[in-house]
Amino acid sequence: MLDAIAISDLHLGSDNCQAEALVQFLEAIRFGDVPTRRIILNGDVFDSIDFRRLKKHHWKVLSLIRKMADEVEIVWINGNHDGPSDIVSHLLGVTVVDEFLVVSGGKRVLFLHGHRFDAFLEKHRITTWFADWVYRMLQKIDPTHGFARWAKQSSKLFLRCTAKIEAESISYAETKDCDAVCCGHTHLAVANRNGPIEYFNSGCWTEKPCHYLTVENGFIDLKSYHESPAVVDRPQLAAVSA
């Protein structure tokens, strides 16, 4: 059994949210195909706190999370899109925190969203909004998301921001005497095992392929998830209401 599974940047309410794939993945966890002691939602589960934007499969994701909270430990780390933590906690009955520590195989693994280290986001909100809009348009134009990924990873500004978040997250984890730090926020899946403190980023669920992290006996692994063409018949869940 895994010590933890971490996913981030689901952006429920966004047109690009891969909600159907996420439902399959959560059901695989719930029904024992991917057993784990805890699930860590590492920020930006919502695209915004406007529940009117949620579609059918987005509500199903929330229904699964609420049901699974009675069966497995679920920790929600607040992201910059998630809104007030008391609303999230009340809606789903989960613990909402700013960061979370997992001890696995004698190693201390710190989870945080990472937006606290993104000074550009705070200083240049209009530029950030426009860049995000262009990125989402590219995803709509190309269903494979290949061009959007290329554009993002070719941006020197984006790469500088992600490098800064990685460096500052590692420095912060060092003050907490941790062996590894796991972030979200950048939507860029990363597994950097170089150096005394390992750095990981769980990517996102708005881009294909989707990514997640597993923690088992001190080893952290970055995995990609591809939606299965064969949908297993699972018991139906009642929808969560806001």
Side-chain angles (χ1 to χ4, degrees), residues 14 18 22 25-26 38 42 51 57 59 67-68 75 87 89 107 110 115 124 128 131 136 147 152 173 208 215 218:
S14 164
Q18 303 299 305
L22 185 55
F25 181 58
L26 291 174
R38 62 178 62 85
N42 199 357
F51 296 126
H57 278 88
W59 283 111
K67 180 67 176 180
M68 293 169 72
V75 178
I87 295 177
S89 181
K107 292 186 176 181
L110 180 66
H115 61 297
H124 305 279
T128 300
R136 295 185 188 209
F147 187 57
K152 180 177 67 175
K208 299 174 183 177
V215 183

Side-chain angles (χ1 to χ4, degrees), residues 22-44:
L22 185 55
V23 166
Q24 283 193 12
F25 181 58
L26 291 174
E27 286 183 337
I29 297 173
R30 185 188 175 211
F31 292 101
D33 302 329
V34 189
T36 183
R37 292 184 174 86
R38 62 178 62 85
I39 299 170
I40 299 172
L41 307 172
N42 199 357
D44 286 358

Side-chain angles (χ1 to χ4, degrees), residues 40-77:
I40 299 172
L41 307 172
N42 199 357
D44 286 358
V45 172
F46 291 112
D47 192 59
S48 77
I49 207 66
D50 183 359
F51 296 126
R52 294 171 298 180
R53 297 175 57 192
L54 298 178
K55 301 177 178 63
K56 177 181 177 181
H57 278 88
H58 300 180
W59 283 111
K60 189 168 184 180
V61 169
L62 295 177
S63 295
L64 275 166
I65 292 173
R66 186 165 190 171
K67 180 67 176 180
M68 293 169 72
D70 296 329
E71 303 162 354
V72 65
E73 180 183 10
I74 296 182
V75 178
W76 187 315
I77 297 173

Side-chain angles (χ1 to χ4, degrees), residues 6 8-9 42 111 152-153 158-159 161-167 169-170 180-194 197-204 207 209-214 220-224:
S8 67
D9 300 275
N42 199 357
F111 289 85
K152 180 177 67 175
Q153 296 177 23
F158 172 76
L159 293 176
C161 287
T162 57
K164 181 176 181 293
I165 291 169
E166 177 175 341
S169 298
I170 290 173
V181 58
C182 302
C183 294
H185 186 58
T186 68
H187 293 207
L188 182 64
V190 175
N192 184 358
R193 297 186 173 88
N194 299 322
I197 298 177
E198 298 178 341
Y199 172 82
F200 298 87
N201 193 294
S202 46
C204 64
E207 185 179 283
C210 305
H211 289 88
Y212 63 101
L213 297 174
T214 62
I220 305 166
D221 200 10
L222 173 66
K223 297 179 180 291
S224 59

Side-chain angles (χ1 to χ4, degrees), residues 80-154:
N80 50 297
H81 281 262
D82 285 324
S85 59
D86 56 339
I87 295 177
V88 173
S89 181
H90 174 73
L91 178 66
L92 297 176
V94 298
T95 302
V96 181
V97 296
D98 291 326
E99 59 188 56
F100 189 72
L101 180 68
V102 172
V103 178
S104 172
K107 292 186 176 181
R108 293 167 56 86
V109 183
L110 180 66
F111 289 85
L112 49 86
H113 186 59
H115 61 297
R116 69 177 78 173
F117 305 120
D118 189 353
F120 187 88
L121 176 68
E122 293 298 322
K123 294 180 181 178
H124 305 279
R125 291 184 178 273
I126 295 178
T127 302
T128 300
W129 174 87
F130 180 72
D132 185 58
W133 180 84
V134 171
Y135 170 69
R136 295 185 188 209
M137 289 302 103
L138 291 175
Q139 285 184 308
K140 286 185 177 181
I141 293 170
D142 174 19
T144 70
H145 296 175
F147 187 57
R149 283 198 306 274
W150 174 84
K152 180 177 67 175
Q153 296 177 23
S154 298

